[in-house]
Amino acid sequence: QNLENSPGILAVTQACSHVSRYHFALFASGQLLPYIKGLCSFAVRVFLSAAVLVKPCPETTRASLAKAMQVLETMLNALDSEFQAHIHYEASVLKEFRRLLSASLDKLNFEELTNVIPVHLLLAYLVHQLPAKVQTLPEFLGMAPAVYVEASLLPLWEPQPALLAAFKEGVAELSVKHHLDPADSPAVAFIIAWSA
């Protein structure tokens, strides 16, 4: 996939720039800020929630995801030139996720990553880095990926202890079904420890 030259992505970015420049300018300063902030926040949350489910995810796919993140940031910048300040939390997660994509899993401190990346995203990403024989979370639960993103991952961006516990229980059940062993890798050890 050559996302940077995608006609659809280019069209969305140009549309956002046009709307921002010619339509948002008609409103008083700050009048639309909460709505633009909400749109930018939602775009980042949906993108990252879908990105963690990509499997298989070899280096070429991770590079494509990194390019898609650049396109997303261009689109967000077209909507709000200060989006990183206005949606600081989501922008920080996006930045840290980019680092996660470019690093070797064996060299990462997963505990440290949980300081920025929500644990449900990190667990989902790591589960989808496991060998092909291990099902994806949506497959394991018998759900379409889009439904899984909307029903399971997006709500967890807000504190929801019961939903997080149910999510972790699903990860733990998948771990048991596929006989994951903490000795396999640091990623597997993290998955098992944080889904217990």
Side-chain angles (χ1 to χ4, degrees):
Q1 296 177 356
N2 194 353
L3 294 169
E4 59 199 8
N5 296 324
S6 164
I9 296 293
L10 181 60
V12 168
T13 303
Q14 289 175 341
C16 289
S17 181
H18 176 81
V19 168
S20 179
R21 187 176 305 124
Y22 297 107
H23 297 284
F24 291 169
L26 298 174
F27 293 89
S29 178
Q31 197 174 18
L32 291 178
L33 185 59
Y35 302 104
I36 295 171
K37 179 181 171 183
L39 176 61
C40 291
S41 173
F42 181 73
V44 171
R45 290 177 178 201
V46 168
F47 177 85
L48 290 175
S49 296
V52 299
L53 298 181
V54 173
K55 184 173 183 168
C57 200
E59 188 176 333
T60 54
T61 303
R62 291 193 308 273
S64 292
L65 284 171
K67 287 178 184 177
M69 290 171 72
Q70 290 174 332
V71 172
L72 175 65
E73 287 176 331
T74 301
M75 182 190 79
L76 295 172
N77 196 49
L79 285 171
D80 179 3
S81 60
E82 297 178 29
F83 81 90
Q84 291 182 344
H86 293 150
I87 59 165
H88 180 72
Y89 174 63
E90 287 83 356
S92 296
V93 175
L94 195 63
K95 181 180 177 183
E96 199 67 11
F97 189 74
R98 178 179 285 114
R99 187 171 79 96
L100 177 63
L101 284 176
S102 64
S104 168
L105 290 182
D106 295 334
K107 297 179 181 175
L108 287 172
N109 180 339
F110 300 115
E111 302 287 334
E112 183 182 294
L113 287 172
T114 61
N115 292 329
V116 180
I117 299 177
V119 71
H120 74 283
L121 289 182
L122 187 54
L123 282 172
Y125 178 76
L126 294 176
V127 165
H128 290 88
Q129 302 312 301
L130 296 173
K133 65 180 181 176
V134 179
Q135 294 171 290
T136 67
L137 287 167
E139 285 173 339
F140 179 69
L141 297 170
M143 301 171 80
V147 172
Y148 184 77
V149 165
E150 188 174 343
S152 298
L153 297 180
L154 283 177
L156 288 173
W157 280 86
E158 301 297 332
Q160 304 222 17
L163 284 178
L164 184 58
F167 170 81
K168 288 181 175 183
E169 184 178 322
V171 172
E173 290 171 3
L174 180 129
S175 299
V176 169
K177 178 181 178 186
H178 291 281
H179 310 291
L180 298 183
D181 183 345
D184 291 344
S185 71
V188 172
F190 179 85
I191 290 167
I192 291 171
W194 279 74
S195 63

